[in-house]
Amino acid sequence: MGGLLLIRYGEISLKGKNRREFENRLVGNLRRMVGERARVQRIHGRVLVETVDGIDPYQVGEDVSRVFGVVSVAVAERARLDLQAIQTKAVALVKGIMERRGLVHPTFKVTARRSNKSFPHRSLELNRLVGGAVLSAIDHLSVDVHHPDINVHVEVREREAFVWAEVWRGPGGLPVGASGPGLLLLSGGIDSPVAGWMAMKRGIAIRPVHFDSFPFTSERARQKVYDLCQVLTAFQHRISLTVVPFAAIQTDIQTHCPEGLRVTIMRRMMLRIASALAERDGICALVTGESVGQVASQTLESIYTINAVTNLPILRPLVGFDKEEIIARAQRIGTYDISVRPYEDCCTVFVPQHPKTKPHLGPVERAEKALDVSALVRGAVAECWQVDFTRGAEPPAL
Ligand code: ATP
Ligand code: MG
């Protein structure tokens, strides 16, 4: 027999049309996450995921608890709208948990909720009646209403009741896609994949763009970016990466622009190309892994001068994070080990000895006169290519 997962979702502040959009997206994303393993269905204020025969609900529950928009996931039991049926399920549930976790003298409590007001027992009375049944059916058990080992939840709804005791926390946020697409500037570093994850958490479907410095960087640098995209499909079912050949542009900058301004100009070229791609594809925001003050290109003056080439909003979800916090998050997402593989990225190849930490707009604009900026942008947009990643599929070859 299959198992049942009861899913609670946010955000409470959403109303009307936004709420419907949220729920439809969430159900769609959950269906893509579980595939053939379970049936997903919405009931008032919750989503039910019923696993098919032979599929472990705990495994599916773990996958489901990564989906943005999910606040919590519980492995639940269904019961008829009948006190005895609810008591029987509660007893079986507690026995099962004690066995599985090897608990000898656990404490427990019952937390009942009755949204169905025609059910004859009120919530407090249910706590007592179900708790009493569990106590008399199982030895070596005691009640602790403050810090129980097992908290048995009972929810009495219109047509049926649910009983559960084990809850995973989900990531919260909004279902991916609910906020439209955003173009993510994805390097092979630690920060930008985390920025992508945080954008996804707010419902943005990311479209990564990578500026590729091959042959100055090796193919392994490109492989890193591919591997990062594959990991991120755990959160967004399909990811379409745009690779922009960037070596020729870097060479041009290297040849024609003063050393101290090269990083600034390189960043401005990246932003111009990203903006052109966004415009081509009808995307109205960029996302980067920038923070404030980490490196020379992230002083406020530098951000100002780099930002000046685009009118698009640039989301910088990491702006308030310390490096330690970003690293901890990257480890949880599963991108950290890939990001720290020791291959050079485009910036380490071209970083000058003394980049200007406060590049002023005037000198930068004058230096760029040595480049045919619009031809370089057009060329890059024409030469970029697409690589698609799908959750669970073989990653594409280099
Ligand atoms: P990361 O760890 O994400 O590389 P970082 O702290 O090393 O960030 P920078 O190298 O200055 O900082 O890059 C700042 C941001 O610029 C990156 O987070 C990313 O969004 C973007 N970026 C840098 N290099 C590239 C690249 N080769 N392709 C795409 N985006 C890039
Ligand atoms: Mg970097």
Side-chain angles (χ1 to χ4, degrees):
M1 223 184 65
L4 185 70
L5 300 166
L6 190 62
I7 293 178
R8 213 156 58 77
Y9 54 83
E11 307 210 5
I12 289 163
S13 58
L14 290 173
K15 297 269 168 355
K17 187 170 163 291
N18 283 341
R19 180 152 200 103
R20 261 202 314 283
E21 160 78 4
F22 177 105
E23 288 170 337
N24 292 340
R25 283 274 171 194
L26 179 64
V27 167
N29 291 353
L30 285 167
R31 287 200 173 122
R32 269 187 288 276
M33 177 56 90
V34 303
E36 304 283 295
R37 297 176 296 166
R39 223 163 53 89
V40 179
Q41 172 198 355
R42 205 167 81 205
I43 57 172
H44 187 77
R46 297 258 203 258
V47 176
L48 285 184
V49 175
E50 288 181 82
T51 57
V52 301
D53 287 357
I55 294 291
D56 177 11
Y58 287 86
Q59 182 87 54
V60 176
E62 225 174 287
D63 288 348
V64 157
S65 68
R66 276 203 311 269
V67 174
F68 290 120
V70 170
V71 170
S72 70
V73 183
V75 180
E77 294 278 344
R78 270 201 157 94
R80 275 183 293 112
L81 285 181
D82 165 75
L83 177 62
Q84 215 185 348
I86 293 171
Q87 288 169 322
T88 308
K89 290 288 180 185
V91 170
L93 189 77
V94 174
K95 274 189 180 154
I97 290 171
M98 286 173 64
E99 261 174 49
R100 215 178 29 258
R101 294 209 226 140
L103 302 173
V104 190
H105 296 289
T107 57
F108 86 110
K109 78 166 177 178
V110 178
T111 310
R113 259 189 51 184
R114 180 188 66 145
S115 58
N116 176 353
K117 300 299 176 205
S118 65
F119 191 73
H121 308 282
R122 288 158 171 265
S123 304
L124 288 180
E125 197 186 344
L126 264 173
N127 289 348
R128 203 165 36 73
L129 292 169
V130 176
V134 171
L135 269 180
S136 60
I138 304 174
D139 295 334
H140 313 300
L141 201 61
S142 55
V143 174
D144 179 347
V145 292
H146 299 295
H147 304 288
D149 299 313
I150 304 172
N151 188 349
V152 180
H153 294 266
V154 176
E155 191 170 292
V156 179
R157 303 174 66 101
E158 290 306 317
R159 292 158 180 227
E160 58 197 339
F162 295 108
V163 184
W164 73 92
E166 289 174 304
V167 180
W168 285 279
R169 274 172 65 96
L174 301 175
V176 173
S179 308
L183 203 126
L184 170 70
L185 281 80
L186 182 66
S187 69
I190 296 169
D191 303 338
S192 42
V194 177
W197 183 89
M198 296 196 64
M200 289 192 262
K201 180 164 191 264
R202 294 312 300 165
I204 295 173
I206 57 159
R207 293 270 301 273
V209 173
H210 178 67
F211 294 91
D212 189 284
S213 302
F214 186 82
F216 302 124
T217 52
S218 67
E219 284 202 319
R220 285 179 299 189
R222 194 184 292 162
Q223 183 69 55
K224 256 173 102 165
V225 176
Y226 280 26
D227 292 349
L228 288 170
C229 286
Q230 193 62 47
V231 168
L232 291 176
T233 62
F235 309 96
Q236 175 178 318
H237 190 79
R238 264 179 85 91
I239 290 183
S240 184
L241 167 73
T242 302
V243 182
V244 180
F246 201 55
I249 294 179
Q250 286 177 302
T251 307
D252 228 22
I253 296 172
Q254 173 107 338
T255 319
H256 297 110
C257 301
E259 186 177 339
L261 299 179
R262 278 181 205 151
V263 171
T264 307
I265 294 174
M266 191 175 82
R267 292 267 181 243
R268 281 163 60 95
M269 288 309 297
M270 285 185 184
L271 267 195
R272 287 187 178 104
I273 295 164
S275 303
L277 289 168
E279 194 178 338
R280 184 194 69 183
D281 297 342
I283 295 174
C284 57
L286 308 180
V287 182
T288 76
E290 289 165 305
S291 164
V292 171
Q294 261 191 24
V295 288
S297 62
Q298 295 176 7
T299 63
L300 287 184
E301 291 86 350
S302 184
I303 288 177
Y304 171 82
T305 299
I306 293 167
N307 210 139
V309 298
T310 185
N311 289 321
L312 288 176
I314 303 178
L315 309 182
R316 299 180 176 90
L318 305 186
V319 80
F321 286 112
D322 299 338
K323 197 74 188 187
E324 287 71 30
E325 295 170 297
I326 299 171
I327 288 173
R329 174 66 66 187
Q331 283 166 333
R332 270 196 278 160
I333 299 170
T335 53
Y336 182 76
D337 290 342
I338 300 169
S339 293
V340 296
R341 280 186 216 153
Y343 306 120
E344 67 292 346
D345 74 19
C346 72
C347 309
T348 48
V349 174
F350 279 87
V351 168
Q353 292 292 316
H354 304 291
K356 279 220 181 314
T357 53
K358 296 185 178 181
H360 294 296
L361 194 52
V364 170
E365 284 177 342
R366 277 195 294 282
E368 281 177 351
K369 288 210 163 43
L371 308 171
D372 189 344
V373 168
S374 53
L376 291 176
V377 173
R378 256 183 285 122
V381 171
E383 283 167 29
C384 65
W385 68 89
Q386 212 78 10
V387 190
D388 290 331
F389 300 82
T390 306
R391 181 186 303 147
E394 272 297 297
L398 266 185

